[in-house]
Amino acid sequence: MQYEKYLVVASKKDRAGINITTQLSQFRENPLFSSMKKAPSFDFYLVEDEIIETKNLDLDRINQYDFIIFASKHKSEKSQKALTVHAPGNFRDARYGGEKGKICRTSAMFHKQIFEKMIKNAEKYHLRDYDITMEATHHGPLIDKPCLFVEIGSTENEWRDTKASFVIAKAISETIEEFKPNPYNEVAIAIGGPHYCPSFNKIQASSNVAISHVISNYVFPLTEEMLKEAVEKTDEEIDFILLDWKGLGNEEHRKMIKEILDKLYLNSKKTSDISK
């Protein structure tokens, strides 16, 4: 899957999103020049209200692009400094935008490559004390185009941190420019474990596996519909389901998950099976 036209979306109410787009503007070619050559390009779309609500977005405008990147702030209970990336959608309720039981399309390859760039640039530009992490698939909006969120967390200090927004912006720019639908990566949906995916982070960063959607254990019990939705909403073909075995709950639930996988003819591997 190759993408040519990207749209970076942020809310005018979101300090982190505005800082990311401001930093990103320095990496954008003149649209006139970029349209004259065959190369990926990106535009900006600044929204008046919160971007997690589908009703706030101009979907006709969004649908003109191949891939959507939502630039946003991140909040957490522990107020940990963090750069995060995740696909949007709701496997269960829809308290924070989108629709119940529906998730967005995403790309495992883009997810992996931007995560790797975030780690590389945080190290290169000495961004200290920030966790760089994937998150499980959660919150709105719900759109038809493949997309993901990149976020800065978790307080006003970080949202205004120009180095953090620069690191994210550079990762976005480089991933768009260098994106490769690598045929040698294995593609997986990840199931289990906590929201910030410690086991899956290591695999996304340091293995041949590219992860798209993450179904965390707080939305369990897993259902056949959840897994079908995650498979259908991954742009690449799925090679296997990646299981955080310790994070799947009790033996009964593990057995139920295996039965669902067998019914859908999906192979699985445990995180311990992946060479990192």
Side-chain angles (χ1 to χ4, degrees):
M1 183 67 68
Q2 189 67 56
Y3 311 107
E4 294 295 338
K5 293 173 64 182
Y6 294 81
L7 186 65
V8 181
V9 183
S11 167
K12 293 179 182 179
K13 292 184 173 181
D14 184 335
R15 173 50 54 194
I18 293 299
N19 279 346
I20 292 167
T21 54
T22 300
Q23 293 284 351
L24 190 53
S25 62
Q26 68 187 291
F27 301 114
R28 185 173 180 239
E29 278 194 351
N30 183 310
L32 182 62
F33 295 143
S34 62
S35 66
M36 292 169 66
K37 62 182 184 179
K38 186 70 173 171
S41 61
F42 62 89
D43 293 325
F44 296 112
Y45 173 25
L46 297 183
V47 181
E48 295 296 333
D49 219 323
E50 298 297 339
I51 56 177
I52 63 170
E53 297 290 346
T54 313
K55 65 184 180 183
N56 296 334
L57 305 177
D58 180 346
L59 297 181
D60 288 338
R61 182 172 181 176
I62 281 173
N63 288 337
Q64 295 173 29
Y65 292 84
D66 300 322
F67 197 95
I68 313 302
I69 299 165
F70 293 100
S72 171
K73 66 186 176 189
H74 171 73
K75 288 183 179 178
S76 73
E77 291 176 5
K78 294 182 179 178
S79 298
Q80 171 62 38
K81 291 184 174 184
L83 306 183
T84 77
V85 58
H86 71 87
N90 299 296
F91 287 107
R92 291 231 175 254
D93 61 52
R95 287 180 294 170
Y96 302 105
E99 290 183 33
K100 182 177 179 180
K102 293 188 177 181
I103 62 175
C104 290
R105 285 170 55 198
T106 196
S107 161
M109 300 298 185
F110 197 92
H111 204 152
K112 180 179 181 69
Q113 290 171 39
I114 198 168
F115 187 62
E116 291 172 338
K117 300 283 189 193
M118 285 161 63
I119 293 169
K120 182 197 81 172
N121 285 321
E123 186 176 332
K124 182 177 180 179
Y125 297 103
H126 310 292
L127 184 69
R128 305 192 192 284
D129 303 322
Y130 277 77
D131 286 341
I132 299 169
T133 181
M134 297 194 299
E135 293 182 81
T137 299
H138 72 301
H139 74 59
L142 184 65
I143 63 172
D144 291 331
K145 290 292 180 174
C147 58
L148 51 71
F149 267 76
V150 284
E151 303 176 349
I152 299 174
S154 300
T155 72
E156 188 79 28
N157 288 337
E158 289 76 55
W159 303 338
R160 293 179 176 276
D161 185 339
T162 53
K163 187 181 279 190
S165 56
F166 173 82
V167 164
I168 289 261
K170 190 133 178 50
I172 292 171
S173 172
E174 289 177 342
T175 310
I176 289 173
E177 188 176 330
E178 300 170 19
F179 177 70
K180 298 181 185 69
N182 189 342
Y184 301 108
N185 282 123
E186 293 183 290
V187 175
I189 289 161
I191 300 177
H195 182 74
Y196 291 103
C197 323
S199 297
F200 302 139
N201 283 336
K202 293 173 188 172
I203 287 169
Q204 190 81 306
S206 308
S207 81
N208 189 49
V209 177
I211 298 169
S212 62
H213 286 285
V214 178
I215 307 174
S216 188
N217 58 20
Y218 62 82
V219 299
F220 286 176
L222 183 78
T223 67
E224 194 177 320
E225 288 69 30
M226 283 180 187
L227 199 44
K228 279 182 179 176
E229 181 81 353
V231 170
E232 288 169 6
K233 296 298 176 65
T234 299
D235 272 9
E236 300 85 7
E237 188 173 337
I238 300 298
D239 292 301
F240 60 88
I241 306 302
L242 182 62
L243 303 174
D244 182 343
W245 193 247
K246 292 180 180 177
L248 292 182
N250 58 34
E251 192 59 39
E252 187 179 339
H253 192 250
R254 288 176 186 168
K255 183 182 175 189
M256 188 183 76
I257 289 172
K258 291 296 282 181
E259 287 172 354
I260 291 172
L261 293 174
D262 289 344
K263 185 175 180 182
L264 297 177
Y265 302 103
L266 291 167
N267 295 321
S268 66
K269 293 183 183 181
K270 298 176 184 177
T271 50
S272 56
D273 296 332
I274 307 299
S275 57
K276 297 180 275 294

